[in-house]
Amino acid sequence: MKIFHTPQELQEYRKTCQGSVGFVPTMGALHNGHISLIKKSVVENEQTIVSIFVNPTQFLATEDLSKYPKRTQADLKICSLANVDAVFMPEVQSIYFPLEPTIVAPFSKAYILEGLSRAGHFDGVLRVVLKLFNLTRPDRAYFGKKDAQQLYLIQNMVKTLFLPIDIIACDIIREEDGLALSSRNIYLSNEEKKDALLISKSLKIASKTIMSRGRKTKEIAKAMRETLLPLHVEYVEILSREFEPLESIEIGNTIILVAVKVGTTRLIDNIWI
Ligand code: PAF
């Protein structure tokens, strides 16, 4: 497995790639969720490139970037065992320049939900993803459905900037007990882990309600909020796949999204109906 630290090295390597290239962008601290994306890419492409880059522009000034978990050696081992062809681990200075044009995420979709409490977060995500796409020039890029809003905004960027890349949306990976995998789960105490199970429980209740009692989104959100009562709920939203409000569930076009705080740890989860 090759490891590149500069854009130039990666670009040189990219010129030599034969066949389709799959790309999995990450910020490291890889868990089974990332591994499922990587494995899918390895199966579907001749070459797989993984990036590990804690992107400063998607963090708020108040967020402590240095606290983001770093497990470089373990991450490299995981990539190597998964048959990744190349890992790109650049320094911040080689990615960002003092003067550069920047992409801005569409306001109405980027300043709701995750963007409401993290103004500018998605501008930073699109900015780095566009740069990484330009460097890796992938045929396919793999993103988890867990970050549904990020996935939507990236799909929108690819569509509207005419980027020749297939965005592959990958299912959420969960622990056996239902907790969605996240790099943040390491911050949960055993007690908090139990509390966090209310999140997937509320989503299960939502799908059961849809099956048995009806499709009115207000009622479903109410039932979910009741389940989540012991937690600090940031939002429960039932939206279309275009992130528009829905009065009634539309099968095949609905995402139910939850964000809560368990202790000091903020967790998100969703289901696609
Ligand atoms: O989802 C993430 O880990 C990040 O937002 C991404 C896509 C790697 C961009 O920094």
Side-chain angles (χ1 to χ4, degrees):
M1 184 177 79
K2 299 196 162 45
I3 300 172
F4 301 119
H5 295 278
T6 68
Q8 293 71 27
E9 285 168 349
L10 178 64
Q11 283 173 308
E12 282 308 309
Y13 164 77
R14 179 62 185 90
K15 283 184 204 156
T16 68
C17 290
Q18 308 271 332
S20 68
V21 170
F23 175 48
V24 185
T26 81
M27 298 208 294
L30 303 182
H31 52 63
N32 282 337
H34 298 109
I35 294 172
S36 74
L37 308 185
I38 293 171
K39 280 188 174 160
K40 200 166 161 58
S41 173
V42 168
V43 168
E44 292 181 355
N45 300 282
E46 267 79 39
Q47 311 275 329
T48 289
I49 303 174
V50 172
S51 65
I52 299 177
F53 179 62
V54 182
N55 171 38
T57 62
Q58 69 190 76
F59 290 84
L60 301 188
T62 50
E63 292 171 343
D64 191 352
L65 186 70
S66 65
K67 286 215 178 108
Y68 199 85
K70 264 214 160 72
R71 289 201 294 262
T72 310
Q73 287 318 311
D75 289 348
L76 290 174
K77 185 103 199 237
I78 287 170
C79 289
S80 160
L81 287 173
N83 288 327
V84 166
D85 297 278
V87 176
F88 180 48
M89 310 174 57
E91 295 295 331
V92 173
Q93 311 84 272
S94 68
I95 293 295
Y96 288 110
F97 300 84
L99 287 178
E100 59 174 52
T102 54
I103 180 164
V104 177
F107 188 86
S108 63
K109 310 286 182 177
Y111 281 72
I112 55 171
L113 308 171
E114 291 307 290
L116 199 61
S117 54
R118 302 184 80 193
H121 165 71
F122 288 114
D123 294 341
V125 170
L126 294 192
R127 205 169 153 191
V128 78
V129 170
L130 183 56
K131 282 172 183 269
L132 293 169
F133 281 173
N134 285 335
L135 289 169
T136 50
R137 292 189 286 110
D139 297 283
R140 303 186 183 91
Y142 296 79
F143 292 88
K145 286 184 178 175
K146 177 152 176 296
D147 293 309
Q149 194 178 2
Q150 164 172 289
L151 172 62
Y152 167 77
L153 288 165
I154 289 168
Q155 279 168 332
N156 173 270
M157 174 176 79
V158 163
K159 183 172 146 198
T160 57
L161 297 187
F162 308 108
L163 303 179
I165 302 170
D166 278 342
I167 299 298
I168 312 293
C170 303
D171 287 338
I172 296 177
I173 305 294
R174 297 176 182 281
E175 309 253 18
E176 254 177 47
D177 56 16
L179 182 65
L181 294 195
S182 159
S183 312
R184 294 187 182 174
N185 291 355
I186 55 164
Y187 301 125
L188 299 172
S189 67
N190 285 341
E191 203 51 41
E192 287 172 340
K193 263 198 165 171
K194 275 190 211 145
D195 292 343
L197 294 182
L198 291 176
I199 305 168
S200 52
K201 191 173 170 197
S202 76
L203 292 168
K204 270 189 210 136
I205 285 175
S207 39
K208 272 195 195 146
T209 312
I210 295 164
M211 304 291 183
S212 59
R213 281 197 279 143
R215 299 190 177 173
K216 288 277 163 253
T217 51
K218 262 195 187 152
E219 279 167 34
I220 296 161
K222 188 166 165 261
M224 289 178 67
R225 281 180 180 280
E226 280 163 11
T227 311
L228 292 166
L229 213 52
L231 305 179
H232 173 81
V233 178
E234 256 186 41
Y235 61 75
V236 170
E237 290 288 347
I238 304 182
L239 303 175
S240 75
R241 301 267 165 99
E242 297 283 311
F243 283 78
E244 293 294 334
L246 287 175
E247 274 191 20
S248 263
I249 298 284
E250 291 173 9
I251 305 288
N253 184 34
T254 303
I255 311 181
I256 306 183
L257 305 111
V258 181
V260 298
K261 259 196 170 163
V262 183
T264 53
T265 309
R266 192 170 177 283
L267 298 175
I268 58 170
D269 199 351
N270 64 66
I271 46 167
W272 298 45
I273 306 281

